[in-house]
Amino acid sequence: MHFDRLVALLPCQSLEDFDLDRREEDAEQLLAAWSALWHPALLADARVLPKWLPAYGSPPESSGHLVVVPDCCETSMADDWFTQAETAGACVVRHFRHRDEIVAAALERLASDHLAVDPDVAADFLALGYCHLQVELLTRKLRYMSNLDEAGLCNAALAAADCAVAGDSTEARRHLQSAFDRLHEAREYFYPSEPRLLDLTLVASTTLGQALRDELAVATPCNMLLSGDVLEEMAQSEPETLDALRRALDAGTAAIIGGERTESPLPMLEPEAIAEELVRGLAVYEKHLGRRPVVFGRRRFGLTPTLPQILRRLGFTGALHCTLDDGRFPTANQSRIEWEGFDGTIIEALGCLPLDAGKAQSFLGLAPKLGDAMSLDHTQTLMLAHWPGRACCWYDDLRRIAAYGAVLGRFSTITVNFDETQMAGQRSRYSADQYRSPYLKQDVAADRPDPISRWVRYFDRRAKLYTHAALDTLTALCGGKRKGERVEGREENDAELSQSLEQSLDGFAKTIAGVTASTQRGCLLVNPSSFAQQATLHDSSMVAAPRLIEVPAMGFAWVAGTGPFFGEKSQSADKQSAENMDLSPSRSQKKTGWFGLRRPQEPPPLAEENVLRNEFCEIRFDPASGAIRSISDYHTRGALLAQQIALRLPRHGVDQNSDENYTVMAADELAVTSAGPVLGEMVCRGRLMDRDGVRVAGFRQTTRVWRGSRTIELFIELDDVERQPGSNPWDSYYAARFAWKDEMSSLSRSVNLANVSTDLTQFESPQFVDIRRDNQRTTLLCGGLPYHRRIGPRKLDTLLVVQGETARSFRLGIGIDVPSPMSAALAFLAPPLVLIDRPSPPSSSGWLFHLDCRNVLATHWEMASSFENNSRGPTARGASAFRVRLLETDGRGVSLRLRCFREVASARRIYGDDRQSGELSIEGDRVDIPIGPHEWIEVEIELKR
C-alpha cells in the first residue's frame, strides 16, 4: 500500500493552544503518534514530511492518508469520524500507546523492499521527528511564526530516507545532519544560545550490572550520582562495572557526584558527624577510583544550611542543591546559584530541579523548560535524572539529537559545566525552616524499628564519642598515657565504645590524681564539655544524701565520700547549706528579732502536697489528672508552662487543633517521694482515657527539681499500652504536651547544633526547643527526642511513641531561664561522669581549658600530628600540640578567649587544609579567637613545655 500523506491528530486547534501538561499515558501517545511517522520507510514512500491536524476537524478525504489517532483525541472527535475515514479509504492507526507499536502497524501496509532499514539509522529519523516538534513548540512559546526552512528540511530528510532504505547508512546520516542543521538554524533565530544538558544517572546497589555498563559505554557525557557504600559494593560484586566506570572517568565522558559513605539524615546530625561521614565516603572513592568527587550530591533528602562550610572545608567546589525523594527544599529562578550557609560560607551549586528522564511527560513539556532556560537562566542548564536502563525512548531521542548538534542542547559533565559557565550573581541564603524532611513518615512507612528512640540512642553514642576523644586528649596533654585508642576507620559497637570510654576515664582520673599520699576516698566527677555543668549525686552507694555539685568546664571536681560505701557517717553540710538558702523574696521572708537582728527562717520543703519548688521555680500539679498545671518563676506573673501526657486520636469533624483529639489523664496516685533538702521529687501513677472513658494506656511520671538547678527533670513511662497510634505518625502518636500562656512567644530550635528560630508546625529538634517572650525564656530539653508538632500558637507536642516504636520510657527536661539553651541541652544529654572510690587529687576541683563565651562550643579535641612541615622540613612538636574545633551556636559573632592550663607557645587557625592557616593572637595562657555567626572553625595550639 502507498501513502501520499502522513498525518497525526493532536488535541488542539494550533500549537499555541497545545496543552502540554498531560497524564503520562496521554503524553506518550501524543509523542509516539507524531514521531512514528518519521520512520525513513514511511518518508521514502510518501515523499512528504508528516503533518498534524486538529482532532476536532473532519477526517481526511484522500484514500492515501495514513492517520495516527492517540486515544486522548477520540473524546473530541465526531461520533462518525472513523466511519467517514474508512469510507474515504484512509488508513487509521489507533489504540497503540508505544511508538514501536505504531511503527510496526504502519509498516505492515508497505511493500517488503522498504523494510530493510538499519534500526540505528531509523532511530535517528524518529529523533528528527521529535526534534522538529520541539523546535516548533519553542517558536510558538515566544509567540512567533515558524522560521523553519521547510523546503530545505524536506529535501534533506527525504534524501536521507532514500539512502536509509537503500541501505547506505553513512550517506543517510550525512543528509540527516543537514536536516538537523535546518532545525538548528530555526531555533537559533529566536534562541541564539546553547543550552547545556546534564545527564544525572542514579546508581544504587540494584543497578550495578549490565544496564549501568551500557550507560557508561554511551559517548554522551553523563554524571553518576553514587554514594560510597554503593561504590564499595560495586568493587566487591561488579568489578566489570567498576572498570567501565574508571574508563569513562579517564575518558572524560563521565563524572561522579556524591561524597558520603551512606546517605545519612544530615539535618538531624551534628557538624562533626556530617564531616566524619563525608571523610569516610571520600576515602572509599580514593580507594577504588583513585579520585574523589568535587561536586557534592545525594538522592535522598538531606540538605541543610550548615553544609556549605563543611563542604568547602573538605575541598568540594560545587554541590547539587536538590534531592530526588520526598522532602521539601527551596528552589531558585536560576540553575546556578551561590549557596550561602549559616555562617556566610558560599559554595557554587546547581539549584534546578531535574526532569524525570523516565517519563514521557517530561519530554512532551520539554520545549517550555528549554525556553525558560534559554530566556531566563543565565547559565541555561537543564538536568535530567534517571536510573540506568530506565530512561524512556524520548531521552534516547534527545541523546541522538545532541550527537548531531546543539539543536535542543549539548550534554556535558557537571564538572565541565561548572568550569565553563559563569555565575549570574545570585546568592541564595535559605533558612532552616525552608528545608522540611520526610524522615519520620519514611521510617514508619518502611516499618523501621524505633523511629524515635533510635535517635536517643544515637545521640547518646555521639556524646560518648566526644567524651572519648576529649578525655584522651586531656590525658595526653597532662602527660598521661592515653587509654582505649580508637582504630581509624573502624566503627566500634556500643559495648566496645563503652569499654573504651571507661578506659579513657580511668586513665584521665589516674593522670590528674598523680602520686598522692592521701588515704581519703570519694567521688570524682569529670566534665569533658567546654561549659560548666552541675552533677547530681543521689545513689545511696555513693553518698548518704542527694547532692548537687558544680563541675568546671573541661575539668573535674572531687567530693569526699559520705555514704555507706565509704564506711563513714553522713555529714550535715548539705542540709545546713540548704537550710540557709533562700528560695525567693516571696518564699523566704526574713523575721526580725530583738535589736533589729534578722533570724533566718527555714525555707519551705522542696516538695509538699501537689507542689514542687526550688529557688528558681514552683511546679503545681492537678491532683485529679496528675498533669503539671503550672510552672512559674518568682519574677513574672502567671504560669510559664503546663505539661501533660496524651495520645492523639484525630476525631472526624473536629478541628485538628482541638483538645478533643487527645486523651485525658486520670491520676491514681500523686505522691511526694523526696521533700529535700536537696532533691524534690513527685511521682504520679495513672491512666490515659479517651473521650468515651475507655482506658488506652497506663503512665508513670516522675518530676524532679534540685536545689540550685534551673532544670526540671521529667521521667515518663508508659505501660499496658492498649491502643497503638495510627499509620500517620504526624497525626496519631503518644506525646508529652506542653502549653504556654502568651501567644506572642517565639520558638527556636536546634539544627546541626545551631540555635535558629522556627515557625514550622512540624519540625525536628533533638536538642532543645526554646520558648521566648521578651526577657523570659523556657527551654524544653529534648534529650535526643527529635520530633515535635506545634498545635496552634500556644501548644507543642513532643512525640514519644508512633507506630513501630518499642520504647516506653522517656526523659525530658525543662530549663528555667537557662543562660545558654544549647549548653543546657547538651548537659542534659551527657551529664558529668562519676567515678566512685577515688583518692583525693591535689586539688578538689580544677579545669584545663576555659571558653569565655557561652554561645561557643568545643565539638572535638585531638592531639595534633607529631610533625609539622615548614620551609626547613618537618619539625617535631612532641605531646604538647592539640587541635580543637569550635562552633558558634546562637548566630552572634564573638571574639573568643580560650584559656589553657599552661602558657601557649603558638596558635593558628586551620582553613580546611593544613597548608592554609592563620596565626592567632596569644598572651600567656590565653588565645584570642575571632569566630563569626554559626561559624565552625578548627584551631591548633601548642603549649609551652
Side-chain angles (χ1 to χ4, degrees), residues 232-523:
E232 189 79 57
E233 184 171 347
M234 181 190 298
Q236 295 175 0
S237 62
E238 290 286 344
E240 293 182 16
T241 306
L242 181 61
D243 290 339
L245 177 57
R246 288 177 181 145
R247 290 193 297 269
L249 292 172
D250 291 338
T253 58
I256 49 174
I257 303 173
E260 300 166 88
R261 178 66 184 265
T262 59
E263 291 190 343
S264 305
L266 301 186
M268 304 279 278
L269 309 186
E270 304 164 355
E272 289 289 344
I274 296 175
E276 288 173 13
E277 184 62 38
L278 287 166
V279 169
R280 283 195 293 266
L282 293 177
V284 174
Y285 294 101
E286 292 283 0
K287 173 183 176 182
H288 295 296
L289 298 176
R291 68 191 77 198
R292 49 152 293 175
V294 294
V295 176
F296 170 83
R298 51 184 287 148
R299 181 179 62 85
R300 290 189 60 208
F301 180 87
L303 300 177
T304 172
T306 201
L307 268 175
Q309 64 173 319
I310 299 176
L311 295 177
R312 287 292 298 273
R313 176 197 294 268
L314 295 177
F316 288 89
T317 59
L320 287 186
H321 190 264
C322 61
T323 55
L324 302 174
D325 72 343
D326 299 331
R328 295 177 59 183
F329 51 87
T331 57
N333 56 14
Q334 294 288 315
S335 61
R336 182 168 176 177
I337 61 173
E338 288 183 332
W339 181 16
E340 183 177 354
F342 271 145
D343 67 325
T345 299
I346 295 170
I347 190 169
E348 302 286 335
L350 284 181
C352 57
L353 289 174
L355 300 178
D356 188 346
K359 291 186 176 181
Q361 291 172 315
S362 302
F363 295 93
L364 180 63
L366 182 65
K369 299 289 185 182
L370 280 175
D372 289 341
M374 290 186 282
S375 301
L376 306 175
D377 189 357
H378 184 78
T379 53
Q380 303 161 16
T381 302
L382 201 65
M383 188 159 47
L384 301 106
H386 64 95
W387 295 101
R390 301 289 182 86
C392 61
C393 62
W394 321 112
Y395 191 50
D396 182 62
D397 285 358
L398 197 60
R399 284 174 164 174
R400 291 177 179 274
I401 294 167
Y404 283 94
V407 187
L408 300 182
R410 191 178 302 278
F411 282 91
S412 71
T413 62
I414 194 167
T415 50
V416 170
N417 184 70
F418 273 118
D419 290 340
E420 295 184 355
T421 60
Q422 295 181 348
M423 258 300 300
Q426 179 173 350
R427 181 174 297 181
S428 301
R429 184 185 180 98
Y430 302 116
S431 69
D433 276 4
Q434 291 178 274
Y435 300 88
R436 306 186 188 183
S437 78
Y439 300 136
L440 181 59
K441 278 191 173 182
Q442 287 178 340
D443 286 348
V444 172
D447 292 326
R448 297 189 183 99
D450 295 338
I452 293 179
S453 62
R454 72 183 182 95
W455 287 108
V456 178
R457 295 191 293 271
Y458 168 82
F459 285 107
D460 177 68
R461 178 180 176 81
R462 290 300 310 179
K464 289 179 180 178
L465 289 171
Y466 167 85
T467 302
H468 185 284
L471 289 177
D472 268 6
T473 304
L474 296 180
T475 301
L477 290 173
C478 292
K481 183 178 180 181
R482 290 191 286 175
K483 302 283 186 177
E485 283 285 354
R486 298 184 64 205
V487 178
E488 190 65 29
R490 178 177 176 272
E491 190 79 14
E492 294 176 304
N493 59 40
D494 290 341
E496 292 173 332
L497 178 58
S498 296
Q499 183 179 7
S500 296
L501 181 57
E502 289 178 5
Q503 293 174 348
S504 296
L505 182 59
D506 183 69
F508 176 75
K510 291 178 179 178
T511 300
I512 63 172
V515 180
T516 176
S518 174
T519 59
Q520 191 174 14
R521 315 289 284 185
C523 295

Side-chain angles (χ1 to χ4, degrees), residues 520-531:
Q520 191 174 14
R521 315 289 284 185
C523 295
L524 180 67
L525 298 95
V526 179
N527 176 20
S529 302
S530 58
F531 46 85

Side-chain angles (χ1 to χ4, degrees), residues 75 79 312 423 429 434 436 565 590 708 754 763 872:
T75 57
D79 294 338
R312 287 292 298 273
M423 258 300 300
R429 184 185 180 98
Q434 291 178 274
R436 306 186 188 183
F565 181 90
K590 302 295 183 180
F763 58 88
R872 291 176 291 182

